[in-house]
Structures are given as structure tokens and as C-alpha cells.
Amino acid sequence: MTTGADVRDILELTGGENDGPITKKDLINSDKKKSKKTTETLTFKRPEGMHREVYALLYSDKKDAPPLLPSDTTQGYRTVKAKLGCKKVRPWKWMPFTNPARRDGAIFHHWRRVAEEGKDYPFARFNKTVQVPVYSEQEYQVHLHDDGWTKAETDHLFDLCKRFDLRFVVVHDRYDHQQYRKRSVEDLKERYYSICGKLTKVRAPSGTDPKIYIFDAGHERRRKEQLEKLFNRTPEQVAEEEYLIQELRKIENRKKEREKKAQDLQKLIKAADTTTELRRAEKRVSKKKLPQKRETEKPAVPETAGIKFPDFKSAGVTLRSQRMKLPSSVGQKKIKAIEQILMEQGVDLNPMPTEEIVQMFNELRSDLVLLYELKQAHSNCEYEQQMLRHRYEALLKASGGSGGVLGSGGEAQAWPSADDIKVEAKEQIIDVVGAPLTPNSRKRRESASSSSSVKKVKKP
């Protein structure tokens, strides 16, 4: 059975709303529908090879003209489009204004809205002035008198502070040094803030504790001196300071490493002590064979060093030999060291896994690991001791000391006294950890040693 779509396809008609079976009305009114379709909707098909963006720029009757300028239509804090209404524009006027910050009465002009005519200058609120205190003659004679300052000089100082808003560098520049004594910026600040503090105390109501600003002139002078010294450093001094900072960081890192090694060693020693004490306690309990101890809960056992074997508490069937496997946390070096010691002692690497043998074999290997770690820590301590001994000998040779040091066999000999090592404190930089000397101090020391050797040669 033919449908409406087939008939329209044969007659080259446009598609209808419903594609059901063809009826008599469709055939009779086909021309009317076609004319209506063409007049109502005028569709354009994008030609092949033309991009969608280019086709969207084409003009059609049913579409608006393409925009000539890019416009931002995103919603948010930006305006969508410029909305131009039919209202009248607010008029502007060229009008005069005065600035309250000026005292000369100067008149300026600028554009301003007519509605704002007669209002104050909007930027006058930024004209902030410093309130400089004013004192009377009686207050000065009773509370503010100073032998180093006259009243005329104090008045001159406060007048400049009021004129230049406490910019003391400008005050010091405009200060009358010819008529009055030559003062520094710190002296001017100290005099001004001391008077302000005294006036605040005097004028404060009874029973109140006012906040007073105290200016430390000595600290300010020392701070500026240090800044001047820091600014006037030579490139050699800067390089030496950077070198010393690097060496200080190395010393701190070595110190942290030593503290960490010492803590690890203490943990190993405590672990060894706890394991021996626990085994002695277990032996005592097994000898006594008290049934009450088995029924009661076991006390909390502290963590021990060595190997921590996992507990197999699964519901399935497991082999007892699995309890003898070393955990993955044990490294290959420790495993090889354990096997070597067991082979030297004639112990089988894979014994019969009975209950007692598994427990004792695991304890033996845990003790071997603990022994291995203690030996390693001991060798590290000996190595560091030997390095410190060599550094001490090098320092003695550099300082020209003639005292004895530890012998090669470890026998203690006579250590040098304090009188044997005589080096100036400024030139000597001794690091306990063994940091080398700075390049400048090394040069000074070499020059001092060469001069001392020349003097020794000239004496005979």
C-alpha cells in the first residue's frame, strides 16, 4: 500500500505533517498546499563545501542581519548589550570649584553634572591631616621643660611637624640648623614623641590608663648603622657570608642525621633489652606452669625490633611452614646476612616445621636481624669517630698545636691543653661537626702561619 510520502516523492512535493496513507483531499488540494508551503516558509539549504560559520553569516528574510561588531552576550557581571533608551541625556556643565586642601583660594574648572552643582569637591575627603598637639606656656614650664632643648627650638620643631604632617625626613631637611643645634632625625623624633607622651599623661582623666607611644632612639640608631654596614659590604664579604650560611646548613643537616641515628640506636638497644626480658619471663612462667596464667589475658607486649612475622588467622587450611617465610619488609641484604650466619653456625636453612622449631627458628632469625642492625650501627659510630679524629688532627696541624692525639691502635695519649692552641677568636672558625674554614679566613690563617715561620727563622 502506498503512503503519502511515496506519492509526494513521485509528484516532487514537500513533506507534510503526517506521513499516513494518501487520501482524496491530498490529491485535490496538492497545489494549494504547495503554494502555502512556499509562501510561509522559505528554507535555504547549506551548499556543499561551505562551512557552517560562513553560512550563518548569510542574510535571509526570516533572519536578522549578521552583526558587524562582536558583542558579548554572556550572562554575569558584564552588560549584555548597550541598551539605548529614548530618555534625555543628563546635561553636563563647565563649572568652577575650589579645593579645601588649598589655603590660597585658587579656583579651578572642570566638567560636572548639572544636578551636582553646588556640592563639595568629591576628593576633599582624602585630605587627611595629622593632629599635632598644642601646649601652653604653663604646661611647657611644668611638664615639658628639658635642659637640652629650648622653648623656641621646641616650637620650631612642632611648627615643622604640623606643616609637613610628621614627615621627619622633610622636617630634618627644613630644620634651621644655623640658628639651633644640629639634630639628627632620631633626636627630633625622640623629642616630639616624648612631649606627646607627657601631654597624653597629663591630659588623661583620672582613673584611666592612656596608651602612650614610646620611641626608642638608641634602637633606631643601631638599626640604621646595621643597615649601613649591610649596604656597604664588599663582594668578598657577601661571598663569605653565603659560604658560611651553606656550611651552617650542612652542619644542621649533619646534626639532624646524628640525632636520628642516635634515636635509632637507642631504639635498637631498648628492643634488645625488652626481648631478653620477655624471654626470661616466659621461661619463668613455663617453669612454674601456673594454670591461672593461661586462663588470664596476656599483658600487652611492647613492640620489639627484628622481624615481625605475620599471624595466620584465616579460616582456611594453612601449612605451618608458611609461618617460617620471611616477610617482604626484610631486605635482601638482611636475608643474605641471616643465611650466611646460619650456614656458618651449621643451622639448616629449612628445618622441620614443628611447633617448637618454628617458634625458636623465627626467634633466632629475629635476633640475628637485631644483631645485624646493632653491628651496622656500631660500625657507623666507629666510622664517624674516626672521621672526627682525623678532623681534629687536621685542626691541630692548621693551628700549630703540638699536643698528642689518639693513637692508631685506639690508645689514649696526652690531649693538647688550652695553652697549646692559641688562635685569635675572630680568625678561628671551628665546627664541631667538621665544616671547613671559609676562603678568607683560610687566607688569613695561611698568611699568619707564614709570618710566624719567618719570625722563627730570624730568631737564631
Side-chain angles (χ1 to χ4, degrees):
M1 182 177 179
T2 59
T3 60
D6 298 333
V7 176
R8 291 187 189 91
D9 191 15
I10 294 169
L11 297 176
E12 296 182 355
L13 301 176
T14 57
E17 295 179 356
N18 50 356
D19 294 337
I22 190 70
T23 60
K24 187 177 180 180
K25 293 180 179 180
D26 295 334
L27 294 174
I28 294 171
N29 300 324
S30 61
D31 297 334
K32 294 181 180 179
K33 286 187 176 180
K34 186 175 182 181
S35 61
K36 286 182 180 178
K37 292 288 183 182
T38 54
T39 54
E40 286 179 359
T41 59
L42 184 63
T43 58
F44 295 95
K45 188 177 180 181
R46 179 168 60 90
E48 295 182 0
M50 182 180 288
H51 292 285
R52 180 175 54 82
E53 293 82 3
V54 179
Y55 181 71
L57 296 175
L58 294 178
Y59 177 77
S60 63
D61 293 335
K62 294 295 181 180
K63 291 170 129 185
D64 294 333
L68 299 178
L69 295 174
S71 59
D72 188 6
T73 58
T74 56
Q75 298 295 332
Y77 67 92
R78 298 180 182 177
T79 56
V80 179
K81 284 184 179 180
K83 296 181 180 179
L84 302 177
C86 298
K87 296 180 181 179
K88 293 183 178 179
V89 180
R90 291 175 295 178
W92 290 68
K93 185 179 179 182
W94 181 259
M95 60 182 67
F97 72 96
T98 57
N99 189 353
R102 299 177 67 99
R103 303 298 180 187
D104 54 357
I107 298 175
F108 305 95
H109 293 76
H110 66 170
W111 286 100
R112 204 170 184 184
R113 292 191 181 101
V114 176
E116 297 177 356
E117 188 175 2
K119 293 183 179 180
D120 295 334
Y121 184 56
F123 296 99
R125 64 181 183 271
F126 299 110
N127 183 27
K128 303 295 182 182
T129 57
V130 181
Q131 298 296 329
V132 178
V134 181
Y135 51 86
S136 62
E137 183 71 27
Q138 185 179 1
E139 286 178 339
Y140 182 84
Q141 296 297 334
V142 177
H143 304 288
L144 310 178
H145 179 72
D146 191 358
D147 295 334
W149 287 77
T150 61
K151 187 178 184 302
E153 190 175 4
T154 307
D155 295 340
H156 178 61
L157 171 63
F158 271 72
D159 182 32
L160 292 176
C161 290
K162 188 176 181 180
R163 284 176 57 192
F164 301 112
D165 292 336
L166 297 183
R167 296 180 178 90
F168 283 98
V169 178
V170 184
V171 171
H172 179 264
D173 182 67
R174 301 299 179 89
Y175 199 78
D176 192 356
H177 297 287
Q178 296 179 358
Q179 185 178 357
Y180 305 107
R181 292 175 56 185
K182 192 172 183 179
R183 307 280 186 179
S184 62
V185 180
E186 290 78 17
D187 296 334
L188 301 179
K189 284 185 178 181
E190 187 177 18
R191 177 60 175 167
Y192 174 79
Y193 286 114
S194 64
I195 291 177
C196 290
K198 291 176 182 178
L199 289 176
T200 305
K201 275 185 180 180
V202 171
R203 295 174 182 177
S206 60
T208 59
D209 189 11
K211 294 182 179 180
I212 299 170
Y213 179 77
I214 299 174
F215 178 74
D216 191 355
H219 175 74
E220 186 70 12
R221 291 189 188 94
R222 291 192 298 271
R223 185 183 69 83
K224 289 187 176 180
E225 288 176 2
Q226 293 295 330
L227 286 175
E228 189 175 359
K229 290 180 181 178
L230 189 66
F231 182 76
N232 294 329
R233 289 180 303 169
T234 60
E236 291 80 9
Q237 291 175 348
V238 175
E240 184 175 2
E241 184 178 357
E242 292 177 355
Y243 181 82
L244 287 173
I245 291 172
Q246 292 178 1
E247 292 299 327
L248 180 61
R249 290 175 182 171
K250 291 179 182 178
I251 291 169
E252 291 176 352
N253 293 333
R254 292 188 196 124
K255 185 180 179 182
K256 289 179 181 178
E257 290 177 0
R258 288 185 177 180
E259 289 176 354
K260 186 178 179 181
K261 288 180 181 179
Q263 291 177 0
D264 296 340
L265 186 59
Q266 290 294 331
K267 287 180 182 178
L268 290 175
I269 294 170
K270 288 180 181 178
D273 295 338
T274 51
T275 49
T276 52
E277 290 176 359
L278 286 173
R279 286 175 186 173
R280 287 176 184 175
E282 288 177 359
K283 287 180 181 179
R284 291 172 186 171
V285 170
S286 61
K287 286 181 180 180
K288 291 181 181 179
K289 293 181 181 180
L290 295 176
Q292 297 176 355
K293 291 287 183 179
R294 295 177 184 175
E295 294 175 0
T296 57
E297 295 181 356
K298 295 182 179 179
V301 181
E303 294 184 358
T304 59
I307 303 175
K308 296 178 182 178
F309 292 92
D311 296 333
F312 292 94
K313 296 181 180 180
S314 59
V317 180
T318 57
L319 298 176
R320 193 181 290 119
S321 58
Q322 291 182 356
R323 295 168 55 188
M324 298 171 59
K325 289 184 178 180
L326 292 172
S328 59
S329 59
V330 182
Q332 292 293 330
K333 290 184 179 180
K334 293 182 181 179
I335 293 173
K336 290 180 180 180
I338 291 170
E339 292 177 356
Q340 185 178 0
I341 296 173
L342 291 176
M343 290 174 64
E344 290 176 357
Q345 299 298 326
V347 181
D348 190 5
L349 298 179
N350 296 313
M352 181 66 66
T354 61
E355 184 70 28
E356 295 182 356
I357 290 177
V358 168
Q359 184 179 359
M360 306 222 17
F361 189 64
N362 290 342
E363 289 179 358
L364 175 62
R365 289 186 294 178
S366 179
D367 291 342
L368 290 177
V369 170
L370 181 59
L371 178 63
Y372 173 78
E373 291 176 353
L374 288 171
K375 283 184 177 179
Q376 197 171 7
H378 179 66
S379 62
N380 290 335
C381 291
E382 285 186 347
Y383 176 73
E384 289 181 359
Q385 184 182 4
Q386 189 176 3
M387 285 183 63
L388 290 173
R389 188 184 298 120
H390 291 319
R391 287 171 183 169
Y392 183 76
E393 291 175 0
L395 286 173
L396 284 178
K397 290 179 181 178
S399 59
S402 59
V405 295
L406 289 175
S408 59
E411 297 178 358
Q413 298 180 6
W415 290 91
S417 60
D419 298 333
D420 296 335
I421 305 173
K422 295 180 179 178
V423 182
E424 294 183 1
K426 294 182 180 179
E427 296 182 358
Q428 186 181 16
I429 303 173
I430 298 177
D431 175 23
V432 180
V433 186
L437 300 175
T438 59
N440 293 338
S441 60
R442 192 181 292 111
K443 289 179 182 178
R444 291 195 296 267
R445 178 163 293 177
E446 289 176 358
S447 61
S449 60
S450 61
S451 61
S452 61
S453 61
V454 169
K455 289 179 182 179
K456 289 181 181 179
V457 171
K458 287 182 179 180
K459 279 184 179 180

